[in-house]
Amino acid sequence: MAGRKSKSQGQHSPIMGIGQIERVTMGERIYNELCQLLIAGKLQPGERLSLRTVAEALGVSMMPVREAVARLVADGALTVHANRAITVPLMTVAKLRELTRIRIEIEGYAVAEAATRCTAGQLATIGRLDAAFRQATLAPEGGSDDSLRLNKELHFAIYEAAGSPVLLSIIEGLWLKVGPIFNLDLRAARRFSTGAAEKHHAALVAALTRRDPEGARQALAADILSSLEFVVTTGSLPD
């Protein structure tokens, strides 16, 4: 009986949970990697996602990839079809307009908070990112991956300066849905060349520097609206 009890205890030993903890950690990592691709606009609406390709690219098994994708489906960031194909959801003009209204309210609140809360160090970081974004957009290949990456980093450096992890999480959820639209800007390679994003970013950074919450809100709203108008005029999205 003692031997049986020892065997049973061994089966329930904490050491038996190591593999499960590792899988959860790996799933979290993959989820975050895919989130960043979506938020940064590296995937476009309608693009098909291969679980096997993701697993091979990251050098992991299929299980943590499935776990990460399931979370993104629950977030509304990916879609599973009847044939089990997984794609980035298609966007319509109506849905984009709705997301734009929500973003202006929520992200506008974040930049207003940042205007009153950001530290000198955070302002310096934001200023460096703004300068790097401007330099990238002025390059011959303006609208490149660097421009999209810096656009995302600049916005989130400002949102983080608001000092609210809950608010930041909400904004990340919005960008999961709207991020792929930035890919349309990249492929068209025209919006950045107009200088609109550069101008609105400069106005936003200036408002933060002078601690002007309303000015920050207005600059952010102008930036988001200019993106909406550009995408709509391309005719890339159905009504």
Side-chain angles (χ1 to χ4, degrees):
M1 292 295 292
R4 291 180 183 176
K5 183 177 181 181
S6 175
K7 183 178 179 180
S8 175
Q9 288 174 340
Q11 289 174 341
H12 293 86
S13 168
I15 198 69
M16 302 301 292
I18 290 179
Q20 294 179 352
I21 293 173
E22 183 178 354
R23 286 199 296 273
V24 170
T25 301
M26 185 62 69
E28 184 72 23
R29 176 191 159 216
I30 296 168
Y31 173 80
N32 289 332
E33 292 285 346
L34 293 175
C35 279
Q36 292 310 307
L37 287 177
L38 289 160
I39 289 173
K42 297 297 182 64
L43 301 174
Q44 64 176 323
E47 186 167 343
R48 183 165 179 164
L49 199 67
S50 166
L51 297 182
R52 189 171 300 281
T53 299
V54 174
E56 290 175 355
L58 295 175
V60 299
S61 68
M62 295 283 284
M63 183 176 291
V65 176
R66 288 195 183 97
E67 292 174 358
V69 167
R71 287 183 62 185
L72 287 165
V73 170
D75 291 340
L78 293 175
T79 299
V80 177
H81 300 272
N83 62 357
R84 297 188 179 181
I86 299 166
T87 63
V88 178
L90 293 173
M91 181 69 69
T92 64
V93 172
K95 184 176 180 180
L96 182 57
R97 289 189 186 281
E98 180 185 12
L99 284 168
T100 295
R101 291 192 296 270
I102 295 170
R103 288 184 62 204
I104 287 174
E105 292 298 322
I106 294 178
E107 294 174 43
Y109 173 72
V111 298
E113 286 292 294
T116 62
R117 292 173 175 267
C118 60
T119 65
Q122 289 171 325
L123 275 175
T125 298
I126 290 166
R128 285 194 297 271
L129 288 170
D130 180 46
F133 175 81
R134 185 177 299 107
Q135 183 177 4
T137 58
L138 293 175
E141 65 279 10
S144 65
D145 281 349
D146 281 344
S147 296
L148 286 175
R149 175 180 57 80
L150 289 164
N151 178 67
K152 179 256 180 184
E153 290 181 3
L154 172 59
H155 274 266
F156 275 86
I158 296 171
Y159 301 149
E160 287 173 4
S164 172
V166 173
L167 180 59
L168 187 63
S169 177
I170 293 171
I171 294 173
E172 287 173 345
L174 287 171
W175 276 55
L176 278 177
K177 295 177 174 63
V178 78
I181 292 298
F182 299 146
N183 193 289
L184 299 178
D185 286 357
L186 172 63
R187 291 177 185 270
R190 286 186 287 129
R191 181 179 178 245
F192 286 136
S193 65
T194 67
E198 175 190 341
K199 178 183 70 175
H200 297 314
H201 285 177
L204 176 54
V205 174
L208 294 174
T209 302
R210 64 176 183 267
R211 305 292 182 176
D212 178 2
E214 187 54 35
R217 278 183 182 271
Q218 291 176 2
L220 187 280
D223 185 34
I224 294 176
L225 285 171
S226 72
S227 177
L228 167 69
E229 291 167 3
F230 172 81
V231 173
V232 171
T233 58
T234 65
S236 304
L237 303 180
D239 293 337

